[in-house]
Amino acid sequence: MMPDLGKYADAVLSSYAVSIVLILALVAFSVMRARKVRAQLDEVERRSRKNG
Amino acid sequence: MELNVTGLSVARGGIPVLEGLDFTLPSGQALILRGPNGVGKTTVLRTIAGLQPPLEGHVGLEPEAMAYAGHADGIKSTLTVRENLTFWADIFGTSGIANALDAFDLAALADRMAGALSAGQKRRLGLARMVVTGRPVWVLDEPTVSLDASAVGLFAQAVRNHLTGGGMALMATHIDLGLDEARVLDVAPYRAKAPAHDDFDGSFL
Amino acid sequence: MELNVTGLSVARGGIPVLEGLDFTLPSGQALILRGPNGVGKTTVLRTIAGLQPPLEGHVGLEPEAMAYAGHADGIKSTLTVRENLTFWADIFGTSGIANALDAFDLAALADRMAGALSAGQKRRLGLARMVVTGRPVWVLDEPTVSLDASAVGLFAQAVRNHLTGGGMALMATHIDLGLDEARVLDVAPYRAKAPAHDDFDGSFL
Amino acid sequence: MRALLIRDIRLAVRAGGGFGLGLAFFLIVVVLVPFGVGPDSGLLARIAPGILWLGALLSCLLSLDRIFALDWEDGSLDLLATAPLPMEALVSVKALAHWLTTGVPLVLASPLFALLLSLPPEGYLPLLVSLALGTPALSVIGTFGAALTVGLKRGGLLLSLLVLPLYVPTLIFGAEVARRGAEGLETAVPLAMLAGITFGAIALLPFASAAVLRVNLR
Amino acid sequence: MRALLIRDIRLAVRAGGGFGLGLAFFLIVVVLVPFGVGPDSGLLARIAPGILWLGALLSCLLSLDRIFALDWEDGSLDLLATAPLPMEALVSVKALAHWLTTGVPLVLASPLFALLLSLPPEGYLPLLVSLALGTPALSVIGTFGAALTVGLKRGGLLLSLLVLPLYVPTLIFGAEVARRGAEGLETAVPLAMLAGITFGAIALLPFASAAVLRVNLR
Amino acid sequence: MASIWEYANPKKFIQTTDRLLPWLSVLSAITLVIGLIWGFFFTPDDFRQGSTVKIIYLHVPSALMAINAWLMMLVASLIWIVRRHHVSALAARAAAPVGAVMTVIALATGAIWGQPMWGTWWAWDPRLTSFLILFLFYLGYMALWAAIENDDTAADLTSVLCLVGSVFALLSRYAVNFWNQGLHQGASLSLDKEKNVADVFYHPLLFCIAGFVLLFVALVFLRTQTEIRARRMRALLARERLG
Ligand code: HEM
Ligand SMILES: Nc1ncnc2c1ncn2[C@@H]1O[C@H](COP(=O)(O)OP(=O)(O)OP(=O)(O)O)[C@@H](O)[C@H]1O
Ligand SMILES: Nc1ncnc2c1ncn2[C@@H]1O[C@H](COP(=O)(O)OP(=O)(O)OP(=O)(O)O)[C@@H](O)[C@H]1O
Ligand SMILES: [Mg+2]
Ligand SMILES: [Mg+2]
């Protein structure tokens, strides 16, 4: 199944690895920050609704 | 000519501090803003002087009519007193710093580096700048800080001369300025209330 | 423990400004220096606090016993009020900033960036630093500048607590500090006379 | 405006000789390079034009934060903003003052430093011309950067981070002129480009700087 | 002392990311060099070690004035002077904070930048070692310079002027190590010298800095 | 159909994007997977470049997105300057890191590609160089956002920087071209001349490009939401101080 990449295997594989890692990292970071901020905002909203 | 402030609301660091301020200051009169620390006097003065935009309401006169002197009074410590004043005189296109010098009797210090002045002497220099601007409206934030009794007297005298010349003076202070004829406005009642909770519009409340 | 100042002469920028100052400040008492602008109060205070050497005479106590607060009060605008105070508490090895905070009721502002304080609030923070130093002698230059009436009250109260704790306070001011029990010393009489012209004793004066 | 110019220059000179320092920094950078890359004079001669341009650029960069920061800290900038002179004039004068106190000395001194890096003789004129033509752009662009970072405490580093990419075209064409000149090649094209950049910057950037400054002052 | 260290680092980070900026400046200097001297990678490879060392040195230099100037302006320094910690400790902590916020990132990032200047592979290790060994010296020496110029408004340029000559030995040996390494030569001797300089500076300079600072504060 | 400026209202924007986001993310994931798997497993080697052509499926899309992200920021900045819609300013802010990462990917894959093809990790080829410069612009832009605490000020300053920066980025592009004639391929996706990439490589490449575009849009939506919420939170906290 794995295609034969010949003598350039490491080049191709490493570039795929690097790119995919970077993309996943970016996505993960964005999602996590989104979650965090959302939670914080809800918290603050509740508080500030409670007291005026 | 008079200064009409109508429905003025001011904000500092994105937070409204004072709301709905109304007053008129006819020429030849002085108005003193009072209020506890942090109520927003400095903010109001900066807004009126055109150094920051008002949140609402408007100020009758253009910034071009105002001369502002705040806590930091734009003195270059590596220039002499005379050089400092002359510079501002040139910038504002007025001529002669002589009367400014003796209005705050700085004549003796005229050739001293401004950096070599005591706190009160610096302050006097900062105030002398007002005279050379030749602007009708003086906006002064705590003008007499670290001035001694006689210097406060000089200041009061300078303001009176300015008023009799048809000028206006708007000041914020916690201590006596020696200007008993001036109207006093306590800004504490105008404290901003928290805005309505749910306007999630562009300005994010 | 008491502070004995004997025959103190101080110079600023190479020029003697005050001569032959003598006074003693027993523990539990406060002394207020008064005098016209530029007479040399700040210079005296800086000398006593050990920030500059005296010209003659000497100061009874080591600089290690003093805590000095001048016009610039060492506040980092990018740190919060709490961070600022905690830092100084750590440096001076005292514990807890709680009482300092409510001595100048800064509790409400504790987590505000110091850069986002009004003039008076900054000043209060600067004074709160005195409390955390835990030093016996407070040396304060114009401490109540731009403080409102109630804040001045807080200050007076804080000083009284410090005195009853056996501390001492040495202050220079032009305005009322609300400390009527404090002794007042007018330094004007000690003005340095222009030195005789014919003494070429190496000091080039 | 003349008042402002004179005062700025005076301040630059008083504050420990604004003139001298930029120069000295330039000198030192030039002196350090051989220590870094080794004494081989053939090599030095090849990199001389580039290094000289870089040195000029850096020592110009180092004085950028003076342009507004001081006036900001002591409140002069607030007062100048309300003073009767348009913001565009203000920033232009500032840029001019900066060029007079930094750029001009650099240009005048460059031949001396070229000597240290054993620049071939035919390279001197192009170097001078390119610097004389390029440094105004550096000052104007730098003023824009300074206006962007005014009020940020010790914005110095951020300032250089923002400004350096903007310096790239100027540097490329300037150094190209100098290098080609040193190799005795045709320099008309890059020279034209350099002139274009400079005059373009002088003509347009002050408006951007003024706008940015207004934002920063409110 | 820990309090001071933490606070300094915190300030560096708060002030618009003290860390990142030094790096960015380094990067930009490295990027600008080819624009100056031309794209020929053979030439670049030859000057790479020197340029990298120069870049590190300059971006370290640019952040020196932060060390004391801010504390001086707002009076903290006066207060620290009367505080119960010896002046020597103070300056050492300051130097350490500066190294942690500037030197360390530079060292870690240098291989990446070496790539841009096509440094030959065998040059990487020597470069890393020499920088890791040399940057502490840069910080300590820089602290001394900062102590000398404290209180001079915008002493920045003067500071670099005083410091750069002091940097020369460090630069020479550091770059020498890197260059020899890149050419596959023996590096033991310059390395030893570099180590000597660094440890000497760390051991002795703080006393000088403290003395100078005391003078400046009264 | 109401005017698109409605979406400049934060609430409306969040509602809409909340509905779109799931679909977008799924779609982009699918296209990406298809494109990459197709490209990686089911394409022949290039006669000249051997198996390294497979890198093109990451390299070109990322390169394109790196440029397009900056263009999008430019447009958003213009909108902010002209119409002062906070959302567009925040969108520009949200897009910057994504664009920066894309640039890094293009640089990294390119560098890795360069090793076998040109025998060097890095050459000062015009296109490579101008990408490096683009990266610097991203850095500066983000640093400026980070350095200013007042949001509106930051928005104004960064948008002006974006405008001026774009001009100088273009200038640098020409300067660099003039400065060094490179070894890099010319653009082959341009429509004017017939393409020089065979269909076998071309079709999966299109998928990958589509995937990257979708991914970019999804990320920008998500991050813009985050920025909006963060800003509202700051506002609320400030409001509590008025109490
Ligand atoms: C760090 C190094 C590199 C960078 C920054 C870079 C950047 C770019 C850019 C900006 C594009 C334009 C995309 C487009 O407009 O279509 C591109 C396309 C391309 N690059 Fe690179 N590149 C690099 C190295 C390489 C290398 C080493 C190779 C292979 C020898 C390569 C092969 C290609 C190919 C085949 C294209 C597609 C050409 C086209 O259809 O436009 N690149 N690269
Ligand atoms: N940069 C800032 N960001 C946020 N809030 C600020 C900022 N600067 C000041 N404030 C707050 O705005 C309020 C008004 O400040 P202002 O300086 O106008 O008060 P003031 O009346 O001048 O006080 P003082 O009498 O002490 O000078 C204060 O509560 C202060 O805490
Ligand atoms: N750096 C300096 N060089 C020379 N003279 C100076 C310097 N700084 C202050 N002076 C002078 O020294 C004298 C004393 O200054 P000092 O600040 O001690 O006065 P002060 O009593 O504190 O005045 P104030 O009440 O205004 O604060 C003043 O006349 C001042 O002009
Ligand atoms: Mg105030
Ligand atoms: Mg004083």
Side-chain angles (χ1 to χ4, degrees):
Chain A
M1 178 60 228
M2 185 70 184
D4 155 40
L5 297 171
K7 60 180 190 297
Y8 297 135
D10 45 3
V12 178
L13 291 178
S14 55
S15 54
Y16 271 75
V18 170
S19 318
I20 290 171
V21 165
L22 277 172
I23 293 177
L24 289 184
L26 177 64
V27 172
F29 176 78
S30 308
V31 171
M32 267 156 39
R33 175 142 186 278
R35 287 234 182 84
K36 189 156 131 283
V37 171
R38 199 181 206 133
Q40 287 173 339
L41 178 59
D42 295 345
E43 160 61 22
V44 176
E45 293 271 11
R46 266 203 304 92
R47 215 189 321 148
S48 58
R49 284 200 194 289
K50 198 154 33 56
N51 43 43
Chain B
M1 160 158 119
E2 66 177 10
L3 172 64
N4 292 324
V5 171
T6 51
L8 184 68
S9 303
V10 298
R12 185 73 178 271
I15 305 142
V17 286
L18 288 175
E19 289 180 331
L21 212 56
D22 291 288
F23 63 82
T24 67
L25 182 59
S27 75
Q29 288 198 25
L31 176 64
I32 299 181
L33 301 184
R34 287 189 169 280
N37 285 135
V39 73
K41 299 180 295 300
T42 299
T43 313
V44 169
L45 293 183
R46 289 181 57 84
T47 314
I48 290 175
L51 296 178
Q52 64 181 73
L55 208 56
E56 286 161 22
H58 82 295
V59 179
L61 297 170
E62 301 70 48
E64 283 63 39
M66 320 259 182
Y68 173 82
H71 296 295
D73 37 19
I75 291 171
K76 292 293 172 196
S77 51
T78 51
L79 297 183
T80 67
V81 171
R82 172 173 285 109
E83 285 167 338
N84 269 295
L85 279 180
T86 324
F87 166 67
W88 288 113
D90 295 346
I91 287 291
F92 286 90
T94 59
S95 64
I97 63 168
N99 49 1
L101 276 178
D102 46 19
F104 290 93
D105 72 19
L106 291 163
L109 302 171
D111 296 317
R112 182 90 70 82
M113 287 289 163
L117 294 178
S118 78
Q121 294 164 332
K122 265 206 195 74
R123 196 74 194 158
R124 259 149 57 198
L125 175 53
L127 292 170
R129 215 196 58 248
M130 290 288 109
V131 181
V132 295
T133 58
R135 293 280 178 91
V137 186
W138 288 2
V139 182
L140 305 172
D141 193 5
E142 309 197 21
T144 58
V145 157
S146 75
L147 288 183
D148 62 17
S150 70
V152 171
L154 287 173
F155 167 72
Q157 194 45 53
V159 172
R160 288 205 183 86
N161 296 342
H162 179 61
L163 297 181
T164 50
M168 299 161 247
L170 181 62
M171 294 162 284
T173 187
H174 298 290
I175 54 182
D176 177 38
L177 300 179
L179 287 167
D180 312 334
E181 69 274 35
R183 254 171 59 225
V184 173
L185 171 65
D186 184 350
V187 295
Y190 300 92
R191 266 219 187 75
K193 296 150 214 54
H197 186 283
D198 269 330
D199 55 350
F200 198 160
D201 69 342
S203 72
F204 302 90
L205 94 204
Chain C
M1 157 156 121
E2 65 177 11
L3 172 64
N4 292 322
V5 172
T6 51
L8 184 68
S9 304
V10 298
R12 184 72 177 272
I15 307 146
V17 288
L18 288 175
E19 292 183 327
L21 211 56
D22 292 285
F23 62 83
T24 66
L25 180 59
S27 76
Q29 286 198 27
L31 175 65
I32 299 180
L33 301 185
R34 288 189 170 280
N37 286 132
V39 72
K41 301 180 292 300
T42 299
T43 313
V44 169
L45 292 184
R46 289 182 56 84
T47 313
I48 289 175
L51 296 177
Q52 67 179 72
L55 208 55
E56 284 162 25
H58 81 294
V59 179
L61 295 171
E62 307 310 302
E64 282 61 40
M66 320 263 183
Y68 173 82
H71 297 294
D73 36 20
I75 291 171
K76 292 293 174 198
S77 51
T78 50
L79 297 183
T80 67
V81 171
R82 172 173 285 110
E83 286 167 339
N84 270 296
L85 278 181
T86 321
F87 167 67
W88 288 113
D90 294 348
I91 287 293
F92 285 91
T94 59
S95 63
I97 61 167
N99 49 2
L101 276 178
D102 46 16
F104 290 92
D105 71 20
L106 291 164
L109 301 172
D111 297 316
R112 181 92 66 87
M113 286 290 164
L117 295 177
S118 80
Q121 295 164 331
K122 266 209 195 73
R123 197 72 193 158
R124 261 148 59 197
L125 174 52
L127 292 171
R129 213 196 59 248
M130 289 289 110
V131 179
V132 298
T133 58
R135 292 283 178 89
V137 185
W138 288 2
V139 182
L140 304 172
D141 192 6
E142 309 196 22
T144 58
V145 157
S146 74
L147 288 183
D148 62 16
S150 71
V152 171
L154 287 173
F155 167 73
Q157 195 45 53
V159 172
R160 289 205 183 87
N161 296 344
H162 178 61
L163 297 181
T164 51
M168 296 162 253
L170 181 63
M171 295 163 283
T173 186
H174 299 290
I175 54 182
D176 176 37
L177 299 180
L179 288 165
D180 313 334
E181 69 272 38
R183 253 171 58 225
V184 174
L185 171 65
D186 183 349
V187 295
Y190 299 93
R191 263 220 190 75
K193 304 157 208 44
H197 254 304
D198 50 3
D199 61 350
F200 272 104
D201 59 352
S203 75
F204 302 100
L205 268 174
Chain D
M1 290 187 35
R2 263 192 59 262
L4 183 59
L5 183 63
I6 294 169
R7 170 246 206 185
D8 270 14
I9 294 176
R10 186 180 275 151
L11 282 173
V13 176
R14 292 256 176 97
F19 284 101
L21 293 178
L23 271 185
F25 183 79
F26 191 11
L27 172 64
I28 291 177
V29 170
V30 172
V31 172
L32 285 186
V33 168
F35 292 132
V37 304
D40 163 3
S41 71
L43 182 61
L44 285 178
R46 278 186 68 192
I47 62 173
I51 297 299
L52 286 167
W53 250 92
L54 258 181
L57 192 148
L58 288 177
S59 58
C60 169
L61 191 75
L62 235 71
S63 49
L64 284 183
D65 63 343
R66 289 170 170 236
I67 295 182
F68 291 121
L70 288 173
D71 282 350
W72 161 267
E73 282 161 14
D74 63 17
S76 314
L77 211 48
D78 281 341
L79 306 170
L80 285 171
T82 59
L85 87 166
M87 201 63 95
E88 286 74 11
L90 173 64
V91 291
S92 310
V93 172
K94 285 283 187 183
L96 178 58
H98 179 261
W99 183 64
L100 290 176
T101 49
T102 339
V104 173
L106 289 182
V107 177
L108 298 181
S110 53
L112 209 69
F113 303 150
L115 210 65
L116 295 177
L117 298 179
S118 54
L119 181 77
E122 58 276 25
Y124 281 74
L125 187 60
L127 179 71
L128 259 178
V129 175
S130 62
L131 278 176
L133 202 55
T135 41
L138 297 185
S139 292
V140 177
I141 299 174
T143 310
F144 173 68
L148 266 178
T149 52
V150 108
L152 304 179
K153 259 212 167 300
R154 281 281 178 287
L157 265 174
L158 178 59
L159 173 56
S160 25
L161 177 55
L162 294 177
V163 167
L164 280 179
L166 302 178
Y167 276 172
V168 168
T170 320
L171 173 63
I172 289 183
F173 288 119
E176 189 74 16
V177 172
R179 199 162 66 251
R180 292 199 175 188
E183 293 161 5
L185 304 175
E186 174 54 50
T187 63
V189 183
L191 206 54
M193 299 296 243
L194 186 60
I197 291 178
T198 303
F199 293 123
I202 293 178
L204 302 179
L205 263 184
F207 296 99
S209 317
V212 165
L213 199 54
R214 280 201 203 85
V215 171
N216 260 330
L217 287 186
R218 68 159 139 79
Chain E
M1 292 194 27
R2 262 191 60 263
L4 183 60
L5 184 63
I6 294 170
R7 170 245 205 189
D8 270 16
I9 293 178
R10 186 180 276 151
L11 281 174
V13 176
R14 290 260 174 94
F19 284 100
L21 292 178
L23 271 185
F25 184 78
F26 190 11
L27 171 62
I28 292 175
V29 170
V30 171
V31 172
L32 288 185
V33 168
F35 296 142
V37 304
D40 162 6
S41 66
L43 179 61
L44 287 176
R46 282 186 63 193
I47 61 175
I51 297 299
L52 286 167
W53 251 91
L54 260 180
L57 191 149
L58 288 176
S59 59
C60 169
L61 193 73
L62 229 72
S63 49
L64 284 182
D65 64 342
R66 290 171 170 234
I67 296 182
F68 290 120
L70 288 173
D71 282 350
W72 160 266
E73 283 162 13
D74 63 17
S76 313
L77 211 49
D78 281 340
L79 306 169
L80 284 171
T82 60
L85 87 166
M87 201 63 92
E88 288 72 12
L90 173 66
V91 292
S92 312
V93 172
K94 285 282 187 185
L96 178 59
H98 179 262
W99 183 66
L100 290 176
T101 50
T102 339
V104 174
L106 288 183
V107 177
L108 298 182
S110 53
L112 208 68
F113 302 150
L115 199 80
L116 292 179
L117 297 181
S118 52
L119 181 77
E122 58 275 26
Y124 281 74
L125 187 59
L127 178 72
L128 257 179
V129 174
S130 62
L131 279 177
L133 205 53
T135 42
L138 297 185
S139 290
V140 177
I141 298 175
T143 311
F144 174 66
L148 268 177
T149 53
V150 103
L152 307 179
K153 259 213 166 297
R154 277 288 177 286
L157 262 175
L158 177 59
L159 171 57
S160 22
L161 213 53
L162 295 175
V163 168
L164 279 180
L166 303 180
Y167 277 172
V168 169
T170 323
L171 174 65
I172 291 182
F173 290 115
E176 188 73 16
V177 173
R179 200 163 62 250
R180 291 200 178 186
E183 293 160 5
L185 304 175
E186 176 53 51
T187 65
V189 183
L191 206 54
M193 301 300 268
L194 186 61
I197 293 178
T198 302
F199 293 124
I202 293 178
L204 304 178
L205 264 183
F207 297 98
S209 318
V212 170
L213 200 53
R214 280 203 202 82
V215 174
N216 262 334
L217 286 188
R218 68 155 133 74
Chain F
M1 170 59 199
S3 94
I4 68 161
W5 296 123
E6 276 190 16
Y7 300 95
N9 169 303
K11 197 173 234 129
K12 182 96 169 117
F13 178 89
I14 287 193
Q15 286 168 352
T16 326
T17 47
D18 263 338
R19 258 186 275 105
L20 290 182
L21 256 177
W23 301 101
L24 266 176
S25 19
V26 172
L27 203 58
S28 65
I30 293 175
T31 26
L32 263 182
V33 170
I34 292 180
L36 287 180
I37 289 189
W38 183 355
F40 187 81
F41 292 102
F42 307 110
T43 53
D45 288 359
D46 179 74
F47 65 92
R48 205 160 74 278
Q49 305 184 326
S51 60
T52 57
V53 274
K54 298 188 188 299
I55 298 181
I56 205 175
Y57 303 114
L58 292 164
H59 178 71
V60 174
S62 54
L64 286 171
M65 288 324 294
I67 299 169
N68 296 346
W70 185 268
L71 292 181
M72 174 257 169
M73 283 157 57
L74 179 58
V75 175
S77 307
L78 281 171
I79 294 180
W80 162 252
I81 290 179
V82 177
R83 306 209 33 150
R84 315 216 43 97
H85 291 310
H86 292 75
V87 172
S88 72
L90 292 180
R93 177 181 198 170
V98 185
V101 171
M102 289 300 166
T103 321
V104 173
I105 294 180
L107 284 168
T109 51
I112 297 173
W113 202 346
Q115 182 56 17
M117 287 303 108
W118 307 336
T120 164
W121 293 100
W122 178 264
W124 289 94
D125 162 279
R127 202 182 234 168
L128 282 56
T129 310
S130 41
F131 248 56
L132 200 54
I133 296 173
L134 180 61
F135 181 61
L136 294 183
F137 274 112
Y138 274 118
L139 281 186
Y141 181 87
M142 294 190 290
L144 190 58
W145 262 114
I148 307 168
E149 62 270 13
N150 180 323
D151 294 297
D152 283 352
T153 312
D156 286 327
L157 297 184
T158 48
S159 38
V160 177
L161 176 66
C162 188
L163 296 190
V164 176
S166 309
V167 176
F168 277 86
L170 273 183
L171 273 178
S172 323
R173 188 88 172 79
Y174 291 121
V176 170
N177 275 325
F178 174 86
W179 165 74
N180 182 18
Q181 294 67 19
L183 358 72
H184 195 284
Q185 303 15 39
S188 64
L189 299 186
S190 46
L191 304 172
D192 47 358
K193 58 174 162 28
E194 87 293 352
K195 57 188 192 305
N196 61 10
V197 181
D199 288 356
V200 262
F201 303 127
Y202 189 55
H203 292 132
L205 181 54
L206 287 187
F207 264 93
C208 291
I209 293 178
F212 269 72
V213 174
L214 289 170
L215 177 67
F216 174 75
V217 177
L219 279 175
V220 169
F221 278 176
L222 180 65
R223 299 180 59 92
T224 311
Q225 284 192 348
T226 311
E227 296 295 345
I228 293 177
R229 294 206 168 91
R231 170 136 191 205
R232 170 161 172 88
M233 185 166 65
R234 281 194 291 278
L236 281 177
L237 290 176
R239 178 175 170 280
E240 283 180 351
R241 270 176 26 192
L242 297 173

